[in-house]
Amino acid sequence: DVKVTQSSRYLVKRTGEKVFLECVQDMDHENMFWYRQDPGLGLRLIYFSYDVKMKEKGDIPEGYSVSREKKERFSLILESASTNQTSMYLCASSLQGTLAKNIQYFGAGTRLSVL
Amino acid sequence: AQSVSQHNHHVILSEAASLELGCNYSYGGTVNLFWYVQYPGQHLQLLLKYFSGDPLVKGIKGFEAEFIKSKFSFNLRKPSVQWSDTAEYFCAVSPYRDDKIIFGKGTRLHILP
């Protein structure tokens, strides 16, 4: 079974703090993703990484950055947290190539509250 | 830009009722199609998928979906729902040869016991 592990289930931070959300996958997947999930808005892609040190902006990258130094680990960074970044953050991974069919596997999510 | 539209944001049904959740997408080319489900307190997981072939696909827990290419639709169905089907359901589309998936806004399904 594919396992995608997010380091924290719940996180409470203060406005202006630098926040790191960590994600690790154990299936040697090339692709990793960070989404935020908000009620009524579904999943919105923040950033996508298709290889170590490679990244691509998603639909809502403002206020976020990412780091992928190792294949299995993908970090989301909030440089200066703001209250409008209070949300559920989901990490996912998938294999590359058309045979992989783009099936994404998700972590349990990190619910971040910024006060 | 590609998009996915789910017709209902919130659906309430009694047990044993039949279910159909609508999903339409906007993309003119070949696509892979998915339904994901998120049970309360659990992670998002794949319910079923369509890549090619028979447009009627079956997934876990008695769910099925039908791809109608002419209507750009991929509706989810279940003939008789159970209380344990209470969850949020997401339709998703991935253009062929694209590593990204576009998700709909989700439908919250609440089954009354």
Side-chain angles (χ1 to χ4, degrees):
Chain A
D1 263 1
V2 176
K3 194 160 186 188
V4 179
T5 303
Q6 294 183 230
S7 53
S8 307
R9 287 300 304 272
Y10 301 95
L11 216 49
V12 180
K13 297 292 181 181
R14 297 207 175 274
T15 304
E17 277 192 78
K18 190 169 186 175
V19 182
F20 293 86
L21 302 183
E22 306 286 346
C23 176
V24 176
Q25 51 95 3
D26 66 356
M27 283 302 291
D28 204 34
H29 285 172
E30 295 89 353
N31 297 329
M32 295 189 76
F33 307 82
W34 275 107
Y35 296 90
R36 63 178 281 176
Q37 181 182 10
D38 299 288
L41 297 179
L43 275 72
R44 293 179 291 168
L45 182 65
I46 305 171
Y47 266 99
F48 159 51
S49 171
Y50 50 92
D51 202 349
V52 174
K53 298 190 187 294
M54 306 304 289
K55 62 186 180 185
E56 191 175 302
K57 290 181 180 178
D59 300 317
I60 51 164
E62 297 78 19
Y64 303 95
S65 62
V66 290
S67 172
R68 190 150 180 220
E69 298 296 319
K70 293 184 178 181
K71 190 175 185 180
E72 67 272 16
R73 187 178 296 270
F74 191 35
S75 303
L76 179 69
I77 303 153
L78 287 66
E79 296 290 342
S80 177
S82 64
T83 54
N84 62 13
Q85 292 178 310
T86 291
S87 186
M88 172 69 89
Y89 290 88
L90 299 180
C91 176
S93 70
S94 69
L95 282 170
Q96 278 182 1
T98 54
L99 288 178
K101 306 294 189 183
N102 287 351
I103 296 173
Q104 291 188 12
Y105 298 87
F106 286 83
T110 296
R111 189 168 291 282
L112 173 67
S113 296
V114 183
L115 306 177
Chain B
Q2 300 112 26
S3 66
V4 177
S5 175
Q6 292 186 236
H7 304 169
N8 308 97
H9 295 301
H10 200 178
V11 173
I12 302 173
L13 294 172
S14 297
E15 273 194 311
S18 65
L19 170 72
E20 181 159 4
L21 301 182
C23 173
N24 287 92
Y25 65 93
S26 64
Y27 183 74
T30 302
V31 292
N32 295 328
L33 297 159
F34 309 87
W35 276 96
Y36 278 83
V37 61
Q38 189 173 34
Y39 297 104
Q42 296 188 27
H43 65 277
L44 204 63
Q45 57 188 286
L46 185 67
L47 189 61
L48 48 76
K49 59 193 182 294
Y50 172 81
F51 301 137
S52 63
D54 188 344
L56 185 64
V57 291
K58 296 194 184 297
I60 59 172
K61 303 190 180 186
F63 285 90
E64 65 179 30
E66 184 176 14
F67 171 47
I68 302 179
K69 190 174 182 180
S70 60
K71 295 185 177 180
F72 299 92
S73 70
F74 190 53
N75 292 353
L76 181 70
R77 299 194 292 247
K78 186 171 183 179
S80 177
V81 293
Q82 300 173 307
W83 177 78
S84 58
D85 293 325
T86 293
E88 189 159 17
Y89 293 80
F90 294 92
C91 181
V93 169
S94 177
Y96 189 68
R97 294 188 184 277
D98 192 330
D99 287 311
K100 295 190 289 293
I101 293 179
I102 302 140
F103 286 86
K105 293 184 177 181
T107 297
R108 284 186 183 270
L109 175 65
H110 188 75
I111 306 299
L112 302 173

